[in-house]
Amino acid sequence: MSGAAPAATPAPPSGTSGPPPVMLPAGPGGEPVTLRFVGTRRLLDLDAAAEAAVVHRCAPGNIRGPVAPGGSAPGGSAPDAGAPDSSGRLLVAVDGPLVLVQNSQGLAACLVSLVSRDGPPDFSRSDEPMLRWWASDRDPDFSQPPVTPIEVFSTSTSADGAVDWERPTWFWQAFGRVSPEVKELFAVIPDGEAVNVAIGDTGAFALYWNKTVDSPEQVEARPPLSLFARDGAGRVLHSIALP
């Protein structure tokens, strides 16, 4: 890529403060909870060169370490998956930046390095490793809609979703897709904190959310994450609780 314009910039937000506060059921038999949005994940608008670099770096068979097995703390090297697959497509790219790529070898989500903490995502450094990646053991057929409004391909578990870095941290990751009637997707933890999850044109979504906590003793008490899907009229179509 060349020129001064960044290869990837956040798509213009639909509002300045994210979705308005809403009430959603907490789950089967649960009391409704008022959501407090702490983040909005927006789609990235990638040019052709940036998209090609994403696929080159993140597609299964092309990924190079460091790796976080199962989504835990970074470290190690990517497994040798044989010759890289030059085919592939970008399913979704969101701020973070986090991308979801599919090719003939499967599906993978990757966190991408930044030029600087305040700079735009840099997808031109195609020989640099991913910061973190997850491979899915599922290979969905995107030519057919999902059976349910939310279909999850891969998610963190309670065992790999809590770490004690410089500050004790919880994190959640999930990627999947939604059916065409879903217009809004929220990730919610039990205390009501929520993140608006961007949905790509393919219906795919990718989420990575981390939250620091006050003490190391809290690390193992990471709460579960739920996903809620709403239609254009604001009706809850489906919800799913993740470990």
Side-chain angles (χ1 to χ4, degrees):
M1 290 179 290
S2 60
T9 55
S14 58
T16 57
S17 58
V22 295
M23 294 284 287
L24 290 179
E31 294 296 323
V33 60
T34 301
L35 303 189
R36 304 188 309 279
F37 286 93
V38 297
T40 297
R41 302 293 183 256
R42 298 188 176 95
L43 296 175
L44 297 176
D45 182 16
L46 305 187
D47 61 25
E51 185 168 333
V54 165
V55 171
H56 173 75
R57 295 178 65 195
C58 184
N62 294 1
I63 305 169
R64 298 166 51 241
V67 175
S72 57
S77 300
D80 183 3
D85 185 347
S86 60
S87 66
R89 63 169 178 157
L90 178 66
L91 296 175
V92 69
V94 298
D95 62 354
L98 179 65
V99 299
L100 183 62
V101 175
Q102 184 182 44
N103 69 359
S104 63
Q105 296 188 37
L107 192 74
C110 297
L111 279 172
V112 182
S113 61
L114 296 173
V115 175
S116 69
R117 289 188 178 274
D118 299 321
D122 180 9
F123 298 106
S124 65
R125 299 181 181 181
S126 59
D127 291 331
E128 286 197 356
M130 296 291 99
L131 298 180
R132 174 173 287 142
W133 70 274
W134 303 268
S136 175
D137 58 2
R138 298 191 55 198
D139 190 13
D141 178 6
F142 276 83
S143 68
Q144 300 293 328
V147 175
T148 58
I150 304 174
E151 181 181 16
V152 176
F153 310 141
S154 180
T155 180
S156 56
T157 66
S158 57
D160 61 38
V163 294
D164 192 357
W165 292 331
E166 292 184 7
R167 294 189 61 186
T169 305
W170 291 328
F171 69 84
W172 301 266
Q173 63 89 4
F175 55 98
R177 63 174 175 165
V178 297
S179 58
E181 64 267 26
V182 174
K183 303 304 179 186
E184 295 178 304
L185 183 64
F186 306 137
V188 184
I189 57 177
D191 70 355
E193 288 192 10
V195 169
N196 175 269
V197 182
I199 302 168
D201 292 339
T202 62
F205 66 88
L207 171 68
Y208 177 83
W209 179 12
N210 63 293
K211 175 182 173 66
T212 58
V213 292
D214 296 329
S215 68
E217 289 75 22
Q218 290 179 275
V219 168
E220 298 304 321
R222 188 197 68 149
L225 179 80
S226 294
L227 295 173
F228 287 88
R230 300 202 304 180
D231 63 13
R235 294 172 297 191
V236 175
L237 297 174
H238 190 65
S239 66
I240 182 171
L242 306 177

